[in-house]
């Protein structure tokens, strides 16, 4: 298998500049600096590289949106907030091959004309931040980064910034706010960061893994990179396999590699010889796949999409036959309720509400109609929030409920249970829109379909 | 200019206009919490979701600029948007305490308006009240504001006001998810001299005015449009009163004068007008004559002012009087039987009139009508109070007619108070038209009680030359009458013909005779036509809705 990202990862002391240089570090930057920004963007566009932060947006295209006014500064922000549950690949890269990431940052900065870049790392990565800082200092002292990188006109100051531990700081506008010293409340788009980003200037936010691919693309050529993987998903992907597997860890696979094959070969299969029940293929923000659904799926953007899910961050969470799916979903829902930044109404209130309902279901205190309520609440979040966290919180709820419904139904009380006292009597006034007037207030189950149902 | 269609109706608007602004202009109602016309949009409440042709998702009307040819559907015509707005509102109620019966905002609360509205609300509750997230209540944020974090809908209007408008940045959210809570740093008292506006921008009962809390249910209030008389800025306000008593003053939006704001001093200036010891009947020599009728008082005044031999009459007006009062005062002076000396300056009003006290609204000249007095030619060559005092001390003045209103913001300066007292002491034949019983006026031969701010109608000309109407909200106390009426009586004694004392007709005369007012029409004056937000007669989105009467 071709290694793009992990070629030197097992090299002892790869974080030290001398060792990294022996392996060819910064060769990509040297070549990039010989190209004009436009040529560089064209090269990366030709490679077909897509963002590894979750959405898979073409990297060359993202860069091409940067059109600063004369004299306007441009910023590159490297997103190392890595908080998507089940994801730990950026940590792996930064820890074992920081120069690969720093080189990628420099290449991207040159492409977009940034003289300043920030590496935004989640607060929990403080220990590796020290090592990355040391690597940065070594590279700067050697004249590779900093003023006049590799003896050229291009200068780049890279600064490492630590977050304080919030999932939302990984969302690009939340990250920008946090970097500005503000509460990480995402911004309404438009305007997009490419126009009004960090300190209101044109800004690109790229994931660590995205940037780590650049060295290879420059050294081996866009064609070589594009030859890897599939037509539209080029290159390789770091996958983080966790959960019920024998050998959890980070593995690099070529795009288009069969999902279950990766499980079997890389992670040594499901633990204790149990049967696979389900797999979340791209971090908890993407829909879960049942074992049957996962069988034909390949690790690439298109195949995942065809299966109704997403490659996301590549955080793969494996459930074996003993997994309690409602409990697992509750854990996930609690994560989103806890991490919702609370800025916009649907996500702030909806994530908490879904977690409540799941909590009482799992505690054996479910109420009739709770599953419908969950889906309705999810439907009222989706597509109506400021940032992607709201949508992300709904994906697991909907897919778990759809694919493992009997497990949830088993938690519901027998149909005759009238539900809690306060709900038995009509609450507040009601109009015809919300159901028929009359005796409905005395019926036992919640009768008012969603307010939307009548529309 | 972009042409946008909303619910089938078209409007052309300036580039950069948001959908919600275009809809407001068309009169299409789009529900909202976080949008405020004078705050930077943040798009966080998601209540203004609309359907836009060609957009994959619903868009927030407050933060989406219109584009040419855009076709928008509000919740009134789009089932999708309607469902979304319903959902958002339901979310807002999940953790809301719904303590409307004991909430001071009830009756002018956006949340209440919407959840009682068949188009947006009337949900059946799915939440056990015992499950709600509870937050802190009755938090003391200083002398102006009380915070109830539980009622907050996290719209951030207050945060944006504090950060961007007054610049104090004293409020911020803490926590995450449905535990987000508004807080002032360490619960410290707000130091913002504009803090009162926070209660106005808050669309719900989270931030309430300490001064107004629990005094009166808002649906009992009557509203009168006016202009603050606290300084030369002339902020547009609405006086809310009940049974001839002012309960509060709130800003009225006027983008060219005060946006949606007023300072706290101006907000509470009605207390100075209504408080203190009011002069409620004519008084002479500091004492009240038992039973004196107005006709007798005016006759006495006339005699005091005319029996002065050949010595000139001094007339000292006030930059706190309406233009109409000053017009009649000038007429009275001009028709005096001998030489007169007319002015209005007590100190440095004219020099200070445009000078800012801070970056937002307040000005150092604490009079509402300095420029009006100047336009009327009352700033003569001989000077105001100091010059008159000098002349009086050498016996050059035969009689004095003084119109005096104590400042509504701050105290009268010691110099001016002393100057007035000495002037009165040196001119034995003096008549003072005033609102309050003040120690430095006790030397007057005769004091006549006149209406204070909020008790009379008229116009003020602010520091920028904008003429604005103040309407009468309440009836002046005791025997006091509008100064225009008293002056009309005095003129009538002089010339045996009663001039018009009606504000509208007096202004017509001003428009004819004062060059600065050429062509102006009372009915068209700024404060009557100023943009109201939201448009008249519609629901109020918090107190910035100055729906008027
Ligand atoms: C709630 C949320 C959390 C996110 N967290 C991360 C993260 O931890 N790391 C990351 O690279 N991207 C994260 N993203 C995606 C970023 O917003 C952004 O799209 C990405 O950094 C772009 O980089 P790319 O183009 O290289 O993929 C997150 C998005 C959302 C909505
Ligand atoms: S969707 Fe959630 S996380 Fe994103 S801005 Fe809204 S409340 Fe914050
Ligand atoms: S206190 Fe009022 S204005 Fe401030 S965020 Fe809460 S609801 Fe909005
Ligand atoms: S700034 Fe001046 S006019 Fe405005 S409210 Fe304050 S005192 Fe009144
Ligand atoms: S999101 Fe538009 S008014 Fe709040």
């Amino acid at each position: 298998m071709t290694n793009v990202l992990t070629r030197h990862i097992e090299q002892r002391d790869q974080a030290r500049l001398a060792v990294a240089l022996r392996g060819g570090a910064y060769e990509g930057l040297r070549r990039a600096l010989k190209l004009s920004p436009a040529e560089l963007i064209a090269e990366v566009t030709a490679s077909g590289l897509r963002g590894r932060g979750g959405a898979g947006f073409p990297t060359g295209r993202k860069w091409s949106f940067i059109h600063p006014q004369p004299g306007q500064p441009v910023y590159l922000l490297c997103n190392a907030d890595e908080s998507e549950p089940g994801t730990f690949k950026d940590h792996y890269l930064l820890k074992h091959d920081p120069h690969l990431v720093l080189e990628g940052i420099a290449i991207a900065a040159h492409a977009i004309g940034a003289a300043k870049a920030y590496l935004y790392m989640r607060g929990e990565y403080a220990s590796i931040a020290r090592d990355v800082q040391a690597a940065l200092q070594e590279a700067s002292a050697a004249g590779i980064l900093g003023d006049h990188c590799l003896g050229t006109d291009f200068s780049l100051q890279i600064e490492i910034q630590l977050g304080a531990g919030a999932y939302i700081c990984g969302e690009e506008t939340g990250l920008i706010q946090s970097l500005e010293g503000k509460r990480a409340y995402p911004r309404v788009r438009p305007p997009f960061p490419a126009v009004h980003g960090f300190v209101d200037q044109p800004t690109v936010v790229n994931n660590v893994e995205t940037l780590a691919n650049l060295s290879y693309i420059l050294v081996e050529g866009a064609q070589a990179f594009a030859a890897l993987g599939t037509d539209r998903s080029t290159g390789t992907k770091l996958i983080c396999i966790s959960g019920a597997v024998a050998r959890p860890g980070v593995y690099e696979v070529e795009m288009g590699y069969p999902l279950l094959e990766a499980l079997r070969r890389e992670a040594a299969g499901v633990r204790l010889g149990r049967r696979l029940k389900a797999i979340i293929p791209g971090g908890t923000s993407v829909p879960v796949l049942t074992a049957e659904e996962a069988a034909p799926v390949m690790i690439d953007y298109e195949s995942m999409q065809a299966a109704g899910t997403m490659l996301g961050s590549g955080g793969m969470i494996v459930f074996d036959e003993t997994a309690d799916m409602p409990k697992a979903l509750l854990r996930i829902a609690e994560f989103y309720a806890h991490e919702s930044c609370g800025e916009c109404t649907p996500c702030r209130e909806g994530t908490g509400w879904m977690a409540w309902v799941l909590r009482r279901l799992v505690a054996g205190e479910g109420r009739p109609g709770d599953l419908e309520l969950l889906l309705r609440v999810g439907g009222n979040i989706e597509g109506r929030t400021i940032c992607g966290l709201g949508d992300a919180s709904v994906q697991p709820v909907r897919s778990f409920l759809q694919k493992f419904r009997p497990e949830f139904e088993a938690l519901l009380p027998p149909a005759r249970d009238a539900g809690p006292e306060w709900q038995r009597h009509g609450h507040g006034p009601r109009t015809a829109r919300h159901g028929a007037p009359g005796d409905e207030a005395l019926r036992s189950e919640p009768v008012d379909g969603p307010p939307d149902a009548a529309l | 200019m972009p042409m946008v269609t909303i619910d089938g109706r078209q409007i052309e608007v300036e580039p950069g206009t948001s959908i919600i602004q275009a809809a407001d202009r068309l009169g299409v109602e789009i529900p909202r919490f976080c949008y405020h016309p004078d705050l930077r949009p943040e798009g966080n409440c998601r209540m203004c979701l609309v359907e836009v042709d060609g957009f994959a998702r619903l868009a927030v009307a407050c933060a989406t600029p219109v584009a040419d040819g855009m076709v928008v559907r509000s919740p009134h015509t789009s089932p999708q948007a309607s469902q979304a707005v319903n959902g958002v509102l339901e979310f807002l109620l999940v953790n809301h305490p719904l303590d409307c019966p004991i909430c001071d905002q009830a009756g002018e609360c956006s949340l209440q308006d919407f959840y009682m509205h068949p188009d947006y609300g009337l949900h059946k509750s799915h939440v056990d009240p015992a499950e709600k997230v509870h937050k802190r209540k009755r938090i003391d944020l200083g002398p102006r504001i009380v915070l109830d974090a539980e009622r907050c809908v996290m719209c951030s209007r207050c945060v944006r006001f504090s950060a961007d408008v007054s610049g104090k940045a004293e409020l911020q959210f803490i926590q995450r998810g449905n535990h987000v809570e508004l807080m002032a740093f360490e619960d410290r008292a707000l130091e913002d001299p504009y803090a009162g506006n926070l209660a106005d921008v808050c669309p719900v009962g989270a931030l309430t005015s300490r001064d107004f809390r629990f005094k009166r249910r808002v649906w009992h209030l009557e509203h009168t449009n006016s202009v603050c008389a606290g300084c030369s800025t002339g902020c547009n306000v609405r006086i809310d009163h009940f049974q001839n008593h002012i309960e509060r003053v709130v800003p009225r939006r006027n983008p060219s004068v005060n946006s949606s704001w007023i300072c706290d001093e101006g907000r509470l200036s009605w207390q100075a007008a209504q408080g203190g010891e009011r002069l409620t009947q004519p008084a002479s020599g500091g004492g009240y004559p038992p039973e004196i009728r107005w006709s007798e008082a005016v006759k006495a005044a006339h005699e005091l002012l005319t029996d002065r031999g050949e010595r000139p009459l001094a007339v000292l007006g006030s930059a706190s009087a309406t233009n109409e009062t000053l017009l009649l005062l000038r007429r009275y002076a001009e028709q005096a039987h001998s030489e007169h000396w007319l002015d209005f300056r007590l100190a440095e009003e004219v020099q200070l009139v445009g000078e800012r006290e801070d970056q937002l609204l307040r000005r150092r000249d604490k009079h509402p009508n300095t420029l009006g007095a100047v336009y009327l030619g009352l700033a003569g060559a001989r000077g105001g109070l100091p010059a008159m005092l000098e002349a009086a001390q050498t016996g050059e003045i035969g009689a004095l007619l003084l119109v005096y209103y104590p400042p509504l913001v701050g105290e009268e300066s010691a110099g001016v108070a002393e100057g007035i007292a000495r002037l009165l002491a040196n001119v034995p034949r003096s008549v003072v038209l005033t609102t309050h019983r003040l120690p430095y006026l006790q030397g007057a031969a005769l004091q006549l009680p006149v209406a204070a701010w909020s008790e009379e109608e008229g116009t003020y000309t602010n520091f920028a030359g904008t003429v604005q109407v103040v309407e009468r909200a309440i009836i002046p106390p005791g025997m006091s009458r509008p100064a225009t009426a008293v002056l009309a009586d005095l003129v009538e004694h002089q010339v045996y013909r009663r001039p018009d004392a009606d504000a509208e007709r007096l202004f017509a005369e001003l428009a004819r005779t004062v060059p600065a007012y050429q062509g102006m029409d009372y009915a068209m004056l700024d404060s009557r036509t100023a943009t109201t937000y939201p448009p008249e007669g519609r629901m109020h989105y918090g107190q910035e809705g100055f729906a008027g009467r």
Side-chain angles (χ1 to χ4, degrees), chain A residues 248-271:
Chain A
V250 179
Y251 305 97
E252 180 172 13
V253 297
E254 197 173 332
M255 289 279 193
Y257 196 78
L259 174 58
L260 295 191
E261 194 68 11
L263 267 194
R264 219 172 2 252
R265 292 221 180 167
E266 310 286 352
V270 178
R271 192 173 53 178

Side-chain angles (χ1 to χ4, degrees), chain B residues 284-452:
Chain B
S284 64
Y288 283 106
E291 304 280 316
I292 175 171
R293 280 183 295 165
W294 261 108
S295 56
E296 294 159 4
V298 171
K299 188 154 175 278
H302 175 70
E303 280 161 7
L304 271 169
L305 295 174
T306 40
D307 290 349
R308 61 177 190 274
E310 286 307 304
R311 287 189 300 168
L313 169 70
V315 176
L316 189 56
S318 164
S320 294
T322 61
N323 284 316
E324 291 67 23
T325 296
L326 295 177
L327 176 70
L328 284 179
L329 190 67
R330 185 178 77 178
R331 174 147 352 136
Y332 182 80
E334 281 166 352
Q335 287 168 351
H337 297 304
S338 63
E339 193 198 342
H340 66 271
W341 177 353
L342 174 63
D343 212 292
F344 75 99
R345 289 166 291 182
L346 300 176
E348 306 278 86
E349 299 83 329
V350 180
Q351 288 86 332
L352 293 180
V353 65
E355 227 174 88
R356 286 181 170 281
E357 184 175 329
D358 60 38
Q359 282 314 299
L360 193 50
L361 294 172
R362 292 183 296 175
R363 287 197 156 65
R364 292 186 56 202
D365 173 17
K366 296 300 176 194
H367 302 89
N369 198 26
T370 299
L371 222 49
V374 172
Y375 286 169
L376 269 161
L378 264 54
R382 297 176 68 182
L385 175 63
M388 273 183 195
L389 177 56
E390 219 169 278
Q393 278 162 341
T394 55
E396 281 170 48
I397 291 175
L400 169 73
L401 173 58
L402 170 67
V403 177
Y404 178 77
Y405 296 90
L408 298 184
V409 164
E411 299 279 301
E412 186 60 275
S413 78
V416 168
E418 197 198 318
I420 291 174
R422 284 169 58 204
L423 179 64
L424 292 173
N426 281 288
V427 182
R429 313 181 73 82
S430 57
V431 176
V432 180
L433 271 55
T434 192
T435 54
H436 285 71
R437 276 175 65 82
L438 295 163
Y440 48 93
L441 298 178
Q442 297 315 313
L446 181 62
Q447 295 178 63
L448 300 177
V450 293

Side-chain angles (χ1 to χ4, degrees), chain B residues 19-39:
Chain B
I19 295 176
I20 212 167
Q21 287 166 335
D24 280 353
R25 239 174 278 171
L26 273 175
V28 173
E29 179 180 280
I30 294 185
R32 79 273 320 255
F33 287 102
C34 68
Y35 170 74
H36 187 289
D38 293 311
L39 295 173

Side-chain angles (χ1 to χ4, degrees), chain B residues 16 85 116 135 158 170 177 213 242 254 388 425 441 446 468:
Chain B
V85 168
M116 297 290 210
K135 297 178 190 167
C158 57
E170 291 173 300
R213 263 161 79 88
F242 177 70
N254 185 339
M388 273 183 195
L441 298 178
L446 181 62
Q468 310 189 95

